[in-house]
């Protein structure tokens, strides 16, 4: 951000520049640049001799003059440090390193401990993150932007739409790849959403985060960021998640955005590919080893977005003794599509006292598609093996979700219903592979990869 026109004109008129010592009434200190994200262009920021920055609202009455008192050396140093990014960016542009955009969205990777409460919250900007990991500048020319400070569990389709549009914009403005720093808890919902919302993607889009905030000794954020920037420079043009592969800081795995899940609430190696191999292994040194045969490569096409989305989609779970009237309730509430996470091959209570079958049938007859995925996560739903399955898929006409993750199916159904309404079309699109979400060939080695 730059100062307001009024401030800029006054500074020019008085021959004053950022980095000079100025006097504003009783305050004296070094004039700082206007802060990039927070703050207002109408406030002059000065660094006092005690090191604190203060903001003083500029009005027509503000008295602004040059100070002749010498600036303390420590303050000059601190100013250099705080404005280092701008200098480094200029130098970087002179060297030809691939431009990579980092978009910060929030989550633990953008968090630090708040000593007032003892709790961790999202406060760090993309610039702060890059400052904490200066190695990134040796790998790429980094362009940073902070989109929000939201935790991933608080996100919805509107965040995904904004993120998709901003990502496409960065790619079309010259970034070779985009890294998105994001909360980990619901990161695989966002990676699935962008996989569908950025069709025919020409360059890599790499989500990353951390399980420990960057101000902790055990933080995994630096290595995840470094590996992600390497992945964003590489040739696999897919939306993926790049996080620690092991408990130690050895290497990361970069997994397809529709085939990845957070499988542990705290471990650093929580993100695992499901029903797929990772796209690649990425080392902090920059070594990039492809580990998947079905990948999409970089192209020179423009990035496009397709963000139409129907948010009235629900994800529910069927289990022994569960209440099928949930479906009736959802329909009453105006839901347009339902994912049921069923058991194993895709079972719901069928001959049980509280059978789900009449409720599924009613939903489908009233035009609300019901898709069934598996609570096993690994493997696929199969409509044929048991009598109960045949009743659900052939009589009630539920749509089997094949080997799709429930979260991916949930996001995909919202995206599909944003485009088509008829049951036939929804079925067809749900069973068409758009972003690697369906894998015809599941191999035993993919299990617990
Ligand atoms: N619940 C927060 C989120 O997902 C913090 C967890 C994390 O980033 O690891 O954004």
């Amino acid at each position: 951000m730059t100062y307001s026109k009024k401030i800029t004109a006054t500074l020019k008129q008085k021959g004053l520049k950022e980095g000079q010592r100025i006097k504003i009434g009783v305050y004296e200190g070094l004039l700082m640049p206007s802060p990039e994200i927070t703050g207002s262009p109408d406030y002059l920021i000065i660094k006092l001799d005690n090191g604190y920055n203060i903001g003083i609202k500029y009005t027509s009455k503000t008295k602004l003059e040059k100070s002749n008192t010498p600036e303390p050396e420590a303050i000059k140093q601190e100013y250099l440090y705080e404005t280092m990014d701008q200098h480094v960016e200029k130098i970087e542009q002179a060297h030809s390193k691939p431009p990579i955009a980092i978009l910060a969205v929030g989550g633990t990777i953008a968090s630090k401990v708040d000593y007032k409460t003892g709790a961790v919250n999202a406060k760090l900007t993309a610039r702060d993150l890059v400052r904490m990991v200066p190695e990134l500048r040796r790998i790429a020319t980094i362009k940073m932007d902070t989109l929000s400070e939201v935790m991933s569990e608080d996100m919805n389709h509107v965040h995904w739409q904004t993120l998709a549009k901003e990502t496409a914009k960065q790619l079309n403005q010259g970034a070779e790849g985009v890294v998105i720093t994001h909360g980990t808890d619901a990161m695989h919902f966002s990676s699935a959403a962008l996989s569908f919302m950025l069709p025919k993607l020409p360059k890599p889009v790499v989500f990353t985060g951390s399980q420990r905030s960057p101000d902790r000794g055990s933080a995994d954020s630096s290595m995840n960021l470094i590996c992600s920037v390497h992945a964003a420079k590489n040739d696999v043009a897919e939306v993926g998640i790049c996080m620690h592969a092991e408990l130690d800081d050895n290497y990361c795995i970069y997994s397809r955005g529709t085939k990845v899940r957070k499988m542990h609430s705290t471990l650093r190696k929580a993100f695992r590919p499901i029903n797929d191999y990772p796209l690649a292994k990425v080392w902090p040194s920059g070594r990039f080893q492809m580990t998947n045969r079905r990948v999409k490569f970089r192209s020179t096409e423009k990035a496009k977005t397709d963000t139409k989305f129907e948010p009235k989609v629900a994800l529910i779970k069927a289990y022994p003794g569960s209440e099928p009237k949930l479906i009736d309730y959802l329909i009453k509430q105006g839901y347009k599509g339902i994912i049921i996470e069923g058991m194993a091959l895709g079972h719901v209570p069928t001959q049980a006292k509280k059978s789900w079958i009449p409720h599924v049938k009613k939903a489908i007859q009233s035009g609300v598609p019901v898709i069934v995925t598996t609570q096993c996560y690994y493997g696929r739903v199969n409509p044929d093996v048991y009598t109960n399955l045949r009743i659900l898929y052939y009589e009630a006409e539920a749509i089997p979700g094949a080997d799709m993750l429930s979260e991916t199916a949930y996001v995909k159904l919202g995206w599909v219903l944003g485009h088509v309404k008829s049951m036939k079309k929804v079925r067809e699109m749900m069973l068409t592979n758009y972003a690697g979400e369906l894998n015809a060939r599941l191999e035993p080695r993919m299990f617990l990869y």
Side-chain angles (χ1 to χ4, degrees):
M1 197 191 282
T2 46
Y3 283 120
S4 67
K5 276 192 193 147
K6 266 195 214 153
I7 294 185
T8 313
T10 312
L11 290 174
K12 201 170 163 202
Q13 187 210 336
K14 294 187 182 275
L16 295 171
K17 276 198 281 190
E18 286 165 13
Q20 274 183 347
R21 190 173 175 86
I22 61 165
K23 235 173 137 179
I24 308 175
V26 294
Y27 297 106
E28 206 172 317
L30 189 145
L31 178 64
M32 297 293 291
S34 180
E36 204 189 337
I37 306 291
T38 49
S40 147
D42 301 322
Y43 282 74
L44 282 150
I45 308 294
I46 61 170
K47 185 176 279 300
L48 302 176
D49 291 352
N50 59 14
Y52 282 105
N53 291 352
I54 56 164
I56 300 169
K57 189 170 168 81
Y58 180 80
T59 66
S60 50
K61 291 196 191 115
T62 307
K63 279 208 186 107
L64 192 66
E65 53 192 324
K66 186 165 185 255
S67 159
N68 291 320
T69 317
E71 191 64 50
E73 200 48 44
I75 297 296
K76 275 197 218 158
Q77 289 303 324
E78 210 173 309
Y79 171 76
L80 277 180
Y81 177 73
E82 287 193 23
T83 55
M84 180 176 69
D85 302 303
Q86 290 156 14
H87 299 291
V88 175
E89 269 162 37
K90 272 190 210 138
I91 297 165
E92 267 183 344
Q93 260 130 42
H95 296 82
S96 60
K97 275 190 239 108
I100 299 294
I102 298 186
L103 303 178
V105 174
T108 299
I109 191 162
S111 299
K112 55 183 178 182
V113 176
D114 175 352
Y115 287 101
K116 263 195 225 144
T117 61
V120 167
N121 61 12
K123 282 205 168 0
L124 303 175
T125 63
R127 194 170 288 282
D128 293 330
L129 290 176
V130 175
R131 237 186 231 155
M132 282 176 173
V133 194
E135 297 94 309
L136 295 176
R137 297 194 180 278
R138 265 187 258 135
I139 311 171
T141 299
I142 306 287
K143 212 181 144 209
M144 300 147 266
D145 203 354
T146 307
L147 293 188
S148 66
E149 291 173 354
V150 69
M151 291 294 185
S152 62
E153 64 271 24
D154 294 331
M155 293 176 83
N156 60 33
H157 68 288
V158 180
H159 294 98
W160 301 334
Q161 287 164 329
T162 309
L163 203 45
K165 286 178 191 157
E166 190 53 39
T167 301
K169 188 170 126 198
Q170 293 295 339
L171 294 177
N172 291 336
Q173 283 178 352
E176 288 293 309
V178 170
V179 172
I180 299 171
T181 62
H182 194 286
T184 61
D185 296 353
M187 191 192 275
H188 55 297
F189 288 81
S190 297
S191 67
L194 262 64
S195 302
F196 297 114
M197 290 180 175
L198 293 167
K200 300 205 177 111
L201 187 66
K203 300 174 189 174
V205 174
V206 188
F207 277 82
T208 195
S210 67
Q211 294 279 71
R212 317 265 187 283
S213 59
D215 58 346
R216 292 175 190 238
S218 60
D220 45 340
S221 50
S222 306
M223 193 180 105
N224 288 345
L225 258 173
I226 291 171
C227 292
S228 299
V229 170
H230 282 302
K233 276 170 55 180
N234 256 285
D235 286 336
V236 174
E238 299 212 21
V239 177
I241 292 183
C242 185
M243 296 276 291
H244 267 60
E246 299 180 341
L247 294 182
D248 294 331
D249 291 338
N250 291 331
Y251 68 98
C252 288
I253 43 174
Y254 170 37
S255 304
R256 178 171 278 124
T258 51
K259 285 291 201 203
V260 60
R261 197 171 187 284
K262 184 168 179 174
M263 296 301 281
H264 196 284
S265 58
T266 53
L267 288 184
R268 286 138 65 96
K269 59 174 191 173
F271 280 87
R272 312 313 302 178
I274 309 286
N275 289 336
D276 205 356
Y277 293 118
L279 296 166
K281 293 180 180 177
V282 194
W283 280 261
S285 65
R287 186 173 155 214
F288 186 87
Q289 185 192 340
M290 276 184 36
T291 45
N292 199 311
R293 265 170 277 137
R294 46 167 210 144
V295 293
K296 232 189 94 256
F297 290 107
R298 197 180 265 284
S299 77
T300 51
E301 276 175 43
K302 283 231 160 262
K304 292 189 199 80
T305 54
D306 180 357
T307 60
K308 279 181 261 161
F309 198 89
E310 168 54 68
K312 281 259 175 193
V313 168
L315 168 57
I316 58 176
K317 196 162 180 154
Y319 46 88
S322 53
E323 181 52 75
K325 283 190 194 146
L326 257 178
I327 295 184
D328 311 347
Y329 169 79
L330 288 170
I331 294 171
K332 250 204 200 135
Q333 294 300 311
Y335 275 76
K336 305 280 189 298
I338 300 170
I339 306 288
I340 301 175
E341 200 174 65
M343 290 159 275
L345 292 172
H347 286 280
V348 297
T350 303
Q351 319 285 346
K353 205 162 154 212
K354 285 198 265 177
S355 169
W356 281 55
I357 300 298
H359 302 269
V360 171
K361 231 185 218 167
K362 209 168 105 197
I364 296 196
Q365 277 161 7
S366 63
V368 175
V370 176
I371 287 87
V372 184
T373 56
T374 174
Q375 288 161 35
C376 291
Y377 301 132
Y378 291 92
R380 67 173 78 246
V381 167
N382 186 323
D384 297 311
V385 183
Y386 293 93
T387 308
N388 280 356
L389 293 169
R390 289 175 187 232
I391 295 172
L392 177 63
Y393 298 103
Y394 296 108
E395 267 181 56
E397 295 189 355
I399 302 170
D403 65 310
M404 267 186 291
L405 276 165
S406 308
E407 295 86 345
T408 299
Y410 162 72
V411 171
K412 183 176 177 182
L413 184 56
W415 181 77
V416 165
L417 286 169
H419 293 78
V420 296
K421 301 279 174 256
S422 86
M423 192 65 72
K424 187 167 166 262
K425 273 278 170 205
V426 171
R427 177 182 285 270
E428 204 178 290
M429 284 183 78
M430 284 307 288
L431 298 176
T432 300
N433 185 31
Y434 290 93
E437 73 277 18
L438 295 170
N439 192 356
R441 195 178 147 82
L442 302 188
E443 294 172 17
R445 273 198 313 128
M446 291 170 181
F447 179 49
L448 300 179
Y449 186 95

